[in-house]
Structures are given as C-alpha cells and as structure tokens.
Amino acid sequence: MAMSSNLARSLPDSPAGDLRPASLLSKMASRGRRPSQLVTSAVSADEAPANMSPGSVVGDMERGTLAEKTGRSDGQLTSRWRELHGSNDWQGLLDPIDTVLRGELIRYGEFAQACYDSFDYDRFSRYSGSCKYPTRTFFQDVGLAGVGYEVTRYLYATCHPSYPNFSIWKHNPGDDKLWSESATFVGFVAVSTDEETARIGRRDIAVAWRGTVTRLEWVSDLTAMLKPLTACGVPCPDPSVKVERGFVDLYIGKDPTCRFSSYSAREQVLAEVRKLVERYAARGEEVGVTVTGHSLGSALAMISAFDIAESGANVSPSAGGKKAPVCVFSFAGPRVGNTRFKERFEGELGVKALRIRNVHDMVPKVPGFLFNEVIFPAVLLRVADALRVPSVYTHVGVELALDHIVSPFLKPTGDLASYHNLEAHLHLLDGYRAHGQPFELGGRDPALVNKAADFLRDEHMVPPGWRQEENKGMVRTEDGRWALLQLPRDVEAHPVPDDIDIHLAALGLLVQEQDGI
C-alpha cells in the first residue's frame, strides 16, 4: 500500500556539501537550533576512507554507525533474542524503547526498504517488475553490505494475470519474453550467515515483503471484502477466520503460463521456509522465522506468518517436530483480518507481531472504518463477526505508535505519502527514546528520508527524491544517440527452484491442490 513515490530507483551519488556527523545534528536539534548548512550525513566526507565508493558510503550511512550505537554489537542478542522477538509481548521494552530492540526493528525495516530499492519499476525497461540485482550480491547492491544475511530466493506475485501490471504493455512482446506482463518481484527470503548466527543467537530466516507498486496491487488494496482463509487453501480448521480478499488474492494468485509466477507467492515462501527450517534445525541449531513488510507488504507479512505457523512450515520433522518461533515486524500496515484471525494468530498459533506506525498515517486506519478495535470493544466486534456483519476488522499484535511531529528534522506538510514513507518511519524509530521525551538521533542519516520523498526541512538542503539513476538510465551510444541502457540481467537465476514441489508435498499442499481445495 506504499505510494509509488516511496520507491527508490538505484544507488545514489554521495550528497554534495559540508557533511557533519549526525551526533552534532542531534545536539543542535535538542537545543532548538537548526543547522544552516547541509549537515545530514551520518558519515562525513572526511571520515570516509579514500578508497570507499559512493555506494559504500551509502551502505555505511545506513548500517555501519547504527550497529554500534543501538546495542546490536554488544552481545545481548545472543541471550535475549526470544524476548526481543516477542516472547513476553514486548512488555517493558517499548516505553522507553530498548536500544537493542530498536536496532532490530531498524534492521528489519531496512530489509523491507531494500525490496523497494531493488525493484525495477521503470515502464521503459525490458525487465519491468523484476529485481534489479542478483541474489548473490543483493545486500551489497542495496547498500547493506555486511548485514550478515544471504538471500536464498526471490518471491514473485501475480493477480489478475490477464491484465498487465504496468501502465503500458511491454515495448517488445516478442523479445524472448525476457520478463512477464503479470509477475512482479514482491520480496525475498534470506538467512543469517554462520558469523551472524553466532552473534544473534539463532539461525534467522527472514522474509521481507514490499508495499504497493503496480496498479493491480492498488486494486488488491481497495478490495476490502473479507474472505475465509479455508477458501484459500490455508489449512485453518476454523472457517470463520477471514482476511481482506485483495491481500490474500495477491498472496495465492498464480499464472501457469509464467515461469516466474507459475507458483503462487504463498507456495514460494512456504516451500523456502520449510526447506531452511528443516536444513538448520536438523543440525541441532536454534532457528527463528522473522517476517517483515511495509504497507501492503505488512499485510502480506501478517498473512504469510499466519500461514507459516498454520501449515507447519516452521516445524522440523527431523528435529522431533521442533517449532521455530514466528515473529512479525510490521511497518505502516493496514488491518488484515477479523476478530477470529486475531484470536487464532495470537492465541492458538502463538505468532508474535509488533506493529510500528506513524499516528498521522491513514493506511493503518483501514480497512474497517465502521467496525474496528478503536471504535468498539473486542466483545462487540466478536458479536458483529458472529452476526456476519461485513467489514469487521481488527489489528493484531502489539503497537508502537510514533509521531513525526516530534522530529525537528521533518517539515509540516499535507503530503499523506510522506506520513506513510518507510524511510520516515525508520528515522522516527532512530530518534525515539520514550513518549514525551525529546527526539534524539541514534546514528541513522536523516538524509535517507528524502530518498524518494520531500519531508526534510529545507534548511537541511537535501533535495527531494535524490536517489535516482544518472540521466534516468539514458546513455550515449557510439553513434552519438541517446538510448536507455539495458544491462543484461540473469533472469534465469530468478525463477522458482526445481525442488519446490518436494517441500510443498511435505506440507501436503500439492495434494490439496489436486483435490481442488
């Protein structure tokens, strides 16, 4: 459900000007002063090594200083990871916020942001709808080198495959079908490296989903009717558990004629999670599953986390049926399901969810304008559900509400897309200490807010939407003409792996499909 303006296009050049450390910015802001020059970089030009490329500087700004200043490197994760991932529903960790938890939230928020930063949404590209980068260099290419994770597979989704997802048809339909009219890159599955696993205390399987980009995804966002999960192939024993139809249709949609979405996003993520859980649990390792997403991606995160637990994809038979705990870190997410979805999600399945939102953002307030947890108590919502009142929705999990007005770096604006912007949410997390306390930067560069937005105060001299390709990808050819650079992309590395049927069969999903369920 993210606005299309919330997307980044490519690795940026370094911002020009006098770059002073973020610690100085924080002190000036806390004193009520505004810096008069460009001062919004966490890594100054003087501090950056001479051999560091502009892309490396961006990666350092996004992660390098943050890891040290939030407690991610102090060894606490090894012993506290279950607590930080909701074993006690984050009691006592949110107000004031636990510094190690804040680092975790920003890390997973960066995973969701990486889905935007790597998405090729240029309608003139021969690869529109794909991920711009190969899996082996994904984190380096999005500026997160050294994050300690490796992408194991990309996720693709489709909805209404008879219609194109972009505003025009591909220019050359006969050009070897390099990409698909219907399939789009929607997220990824990654796993922590051996070194990172030792540091964080478990083998972490991370699933990240992006928000709305294509026009058909906007159709999914606006389809607010509830649909039973049992009608979607999810093995939920209770037919009264329902979710928003547009969200789940995108999750289960497939196009048999497309090599990238011949399996649904649901089948792709369940098979991959099942494979990784079994692989590492069989070695005797502690394994956890963390799902994250922004906006529409938050809805997909909630549904897929429910499905992972309901289908048993987080269970390892070779490890005696041991279950990997499932946790969701959600950003700016809408309501997803009804009261029974919430009860089964939190109760019977034990999935944990922490929702981060900007109180001025409208997206988390929908769907369910009339019947929701804000207007009615849970008991009345359950009665309305039982009476089959349409559009009864409620949020799941624990909420962390932030307010962009408290940040001295953000300007007053009526732009609703800025309120919803994921980078703005990460900025608010970075400066949040406790409700009622002053905003204080922790280590994340405020300039990132304006990657694809216009939300920073003008005196910081950071141009809006600064993260873009030089000349929008146009290059001059040998004959002096200008043309869009079409770099060869290893699309053969993107499709679904051959072993997906093996893992789906282990979950019983192929049998269900044959039975017409």
Side-chain angles (χ1 to χ4, degrees):
M1 204 172 275
M3 311 299 178
S4 59
S5 63
N6 200 31
L7 303 178
R9 296 174 183 261
S10 67
L11 289 174
D13 294 328
S14 298
D18 175 26
L19 305 179
R20 284 180 281 175
S23 58
L24 177 58
L25 285 175
S26 179
K27 292 177 182 178
M28 296 175 72
S30 64
R31 296 171 185 166
R33 297 167 54 195
R34 301 263 184 238
S36 59
Q37 302 179 33
L38 178 58
V39 292
T40 49
S41 177
V43 178
S44 75
D46 293 336
E47 293 173 311
N51 61 350
M52 182 176 285
S53 67
S56 299
V57 173
V58 172
D60 221 16
M61 287 192 294
E62 295 188 6
R63 271 200 58 72
T65 57
L66 177 66
E68 300 302 326
K69 294 186 178 183
T70 60
R72 283 199 59 230
S73 299
D74 64 4
Q76 291 190 42
L77 276 173
T78 306
S79 59
R80 297 184 59 204
W81 73 268
R82 291 181 180 272
E83 174 195 13
L84 297 171
H85 283 236
S87 62
N88 198 29
D89 293 321
W90 296 280
Q91 292 184 20
L93 300 180
L94 301 180
D95 193 10
I97 192 167
D98 183 275
T99 57
V100 185
L101 174 62
R102 181 173 58 238
E104 285 286 273
L105 294 177
I106 292 176
R107 171 168 57 152
Y108 289 108
E110 287 175 337
F111 284 3
Q113 180 65 42
C115 296
Y116 291 126
D117 294 349
S118 62
F119 185 78
D120 185 350
Y121 64 100
D122 185 348
R123 66 191 181 99
F124 295 103
S125 169
R126 295 160 68 188
Y127 304 95
S128 290
S130 72
C131 178
K132 294 187 290 187
Y133 311 123
T135 56
R136 64 184 179 276
T137 61
F138 177 83
F139 286 114
Q140 177 180 345
D141 292 335
V142 296
L144 296 177
V147 73
Y149 283 72
E150 296 174 347
V151 172
T152 62
R153 67 158 304 146
Y154 289 144
L155 302 173
Y156 304 94
T158 188
C159 188
H160 308 292
S162 59
Y163 299 99
N165 250 314
F166 293 87
S167 56
I168 61 170
W169 296 89
K170 295 293 178 61
H171 290 318
N172 300 306
D175 189 13
D176 297 327
K177 296 286 186 180
L178 282 177
W179 199 251
S180 164
E181 294 289 354
S182 57
T184 54
F185 165 73
V186 73
F188 62 84
V189 181
V191 65
S192 56
T193 62
D194 291 344
E195 182 181 2
E196 183 74 358
T197 294
R199 194 181 67 78
I200 65 178
R202 84 284 185 191
R203 182 73 65 170
D204 185 34
I205 300 167
V207 182
W209 301 91
R210 65 163 173 79
T212 305
V213 174
T214 73
R215 61 182 182 177
L216 288 182
E217 290 163 3
W218 277 108
V219 173
S220 296
D221 293 342
L222 299 174
T223 307
M225 295 178 291
L226 286 163
K227 184 175 184 177
L229 276 176
T230 52
C232 306
V234 179
C236 178
D238 186 352
S240 66
V241 175
K242 300 177 182 180
V243 296
E244 198 256 30
R245 180 169 187 165
F247 299 152
V248 75
D249 282 351
L250 188 65
Y251 180 61
I252 66 174
K254 64 174 73 176
D255 180 1
T257 67
C258 174
R259 56 178 170 164
F260 302 100
S261 59
S262 58
Y263 291 91
S264 66
R266 176 187 184 232
E267 292 168 329
Q268 295 167 45
V269 70
L270 290 182
E272 188 67 13
V273 170
R274 161 76 182 203
K275 174 174 71 177
L276 295 173
V277 167
E278 178 64 13
R279 174 186 299 169
Y280 294 108
R283 300 178 184 177
E285 296 187 23
E286 287 287 332
V287 179
V289 180
T290 312
V291 192
T292 189
H294 171 252
S295 196
L296 169 63
S298 168
L300 294 173
M302 294 293 187
I303 293 172
S304 60
F306 182 104
D307 198 9
I308 288 168
E310 189 72 87
S311 66
N314 62 326
V315 177
S316 172
S318 62
K322 188 174 182 179
K323 292 184 179 181
V326 181
C327 170
V328 179
F329 291 131
S330 153
F331 295 85
R335 297 185 182 96
V336 174
N338 64 353
T339 57
R340 276 300 297 142
F341 176 78
K342 172 183 173 68
E343 290 165 356
R344 186 157 183 83
F345 185 104
E346 298 174 351
E348 294 102 301
L349 298 179
V351 179
K352 301 298 182 178
L354 179 58
R355 296 180 293 105
I356 297 91
R357 74 177 182 97
N358 178 0
V359 296
H360 303 283
D361 183 12
M362 291 300 298
V363 171
K365 300 177 182 180
V366 296
F369 267 122
L370 298 178
F371 296 96
N372 60 64
E373 78 288 347
V374 175
I375 299 176
F376 293 100
V379 62
L380 291 183
L381 288 181
R382 283 194 292 268
V383 171
D385 245 346
L387 295 175
R388 297 185 179 181
V389 174
S391 298
V392 177
Y393 285 88
T394 184
H395 273 302
V396 303
V398 177
E399 177 181 278
L400 174 58
L402 305 174
D403 187 345
H404 73 253
I405 292 178
V406 304
S407 170
F409 299 92
L410 304 181
K411 64 185 178 182
T413 177
D415 180 14
L416 299 181
S418 292
Y419 303 168
H420 189 59
N421 184 284
L422 177 53
E423 284 288 3
H425 279 71
L426 300 181
H427 168 71
L428 294 178
L429 268 175
D430 182 53
Y432 169 70
R433 296 299 176 264
H435 288 102
Q437 290 190 10
F439 188 92
E440 181 183 351
L441 283 180
R444 189 174 179 80
D445 185 1
L448 295 168
V449 172
N450 268 17
K451 279 167 63 176
D454 185 10
F455 206 5
L456 284 176
R457 291 181 179 269
D458 293 343
E459 55 261 44
H460 298 312
M461 299 180 65
V462 178
W466 56 262
R467 194 176 196 268
Q468 54 185 295
E469 292 184 20
E470 183 180 7
N471 297 324
K472 295 186 177 180
M474 294 288 286
V475 296
R476 202 163 194 175
T477 61
E478 292 181 357
D479 61 1
R481 296 177 182 270
W482 286 89
L484 185 67
L485 180 64
Q486 300 283 3
L487 294 175
R489 195 167 297 173
D490 187 11
V491 294
E492 295 301 331
H494 289 231
V496 177
D498 295 334
D499 62 355
I500 187 170
D501 283 343
I502 297 174
H503 304 291
L504 292 177
L507 293 171
L509 297 184
L510 293 182
V511 174
Q512 291 179 356
E513 185 171 289
Q514 292 168 1
D515 291 341
I517 296 179

